[in-house]
Amino acid sequence: YPQQNALNSFRNGSWEGLSVDQIIRKRDQVSSWLLEQEFRKGDRIAIVPKIGSPEWMIVDFGCQQAGLVVVPIHPTSTPEEAEFILKETMCRLCITNDILFYDKVNALRNAVPSLTAAYHLESGAAGYLPPLDSAYDRITMEAVQKSRDAIAPSDILAIMYTSGTTGKPKGI
């Protein structure tokens, strides 16, 4: 620590790296933004990752630091399966990898009363997760630290769902 290339991804034909300092800053931006949006400890946040990317790790770390419970949803889930998981966990936010699943989630918003917002990770398009935007530069570390200090070892970190091959998906 600090490593210049702690997380790497292959984009547009070349490798791009993020340093530990860049990851920490982006993680803090995500946490700060979530707290600004009035997400609180224990709130459920669904993520629909489609491909591995540093952004998913940063979003996950940011949620953990804010004391939120991450609920991964498989990208091949049907709208009915996604609706079931979103309703059962009472997710307030869903972050998807792409606009296609983002549109599916937005179509479910009337059926899932707890879901207040959805965003995606396709940079430059409407609905992109604001704290990952390169222009976003607000961090309220006092609120982030307060949230971090409130986390206990007994708190739930994530709710993983089975595939539902024998019936409805089950959260564990």
Side-chain angles (χ1 to χ4, degrees):
Y1 175 82
Q3 291 189 358
Q4 197 56 30
N5 289 310
L7 289 176
N8 298 292
S9 61
F10 194 74
R11 296 182 184 179
N12 303 319
S14 65
W15 286 98
E16 296 177 12
L18 290 174
S19 70
V20 170
D21 290 336
Q22 288 172 307
I23 294 164
I24 290 170
R25 178 149 184 83
K26 287 179 178 287
R27 177 208 60 195
D28 291 346
Q29 286 177 210
V30 169
S31 296
S32 183
W33 180 84
L34 288 164
L35 294 169
E36 283 177 14
Q37 303 306 304
E38 299 185 5
F39 291 99
R40 297 294 175 253
K41 179 181 173 183
D43 282 347
R44 273 69 168 164
I45 308 297
I47 63 170
V48 187
K50 190 170 185 178
I51 56 173
S53 71
E55 287 81 12
W56 282 117
M57 294 180 76
I58 291 164
V59 168
D60 193 12
F61 296 158
C63 288
Q64 289 177 37
Q65 182 171 247
L68 307 178
V69 179
V70 174
V71 181
I73 298 176
H74 199 277
T76 61
S77 296
T78 65
E80 294 78 21
E81 291 166 335
E83 179 181 346
F84 174 79
I85 293 169
L86 291 167
K87 278 183 175 178
E88 184 168 88
T89 58
M90 295 186 293
C91 282
R92 292 191 51 215
L93 171 66
C94 185
I95 303 168
T96 70
N97 188 65
D98 60 27
I99 294 173
L100 182 63
F101 212 100
Y102 166 79
D103 288 341
K104 289 179 187 178
V105 169
N106 273 324
L108 296 173
R109 290 199 39 201
N110 288 336
V112 183
S114 62
L115 190 62
T116 59
Y119 294 94
H120 61 76
L121 298 184
E122 286 192 28
S123 179
Y128 182 64
L129 186 64
L132 293 180
D133 190 301
S134 59
Y136 188 89
D137 196 30
R138 290 192 317 263
I139 299 177
T140 309
M141 281 311 295
E142 183 179 317
V144 171
Q145 188 61 49
K146 183 178 177 184
S147 178
R148 207 185 306 171
D149 292 345
I151 298 169
S154 59
D155 291 342
I156 296 172
L157 175 69
I159 300 173
M160 305 289 290
Y161 272 79
T162 61
S163 63
T165 54
T166 60
K168 289 191 184 278
K170 292 167 191 68
I172 51 173

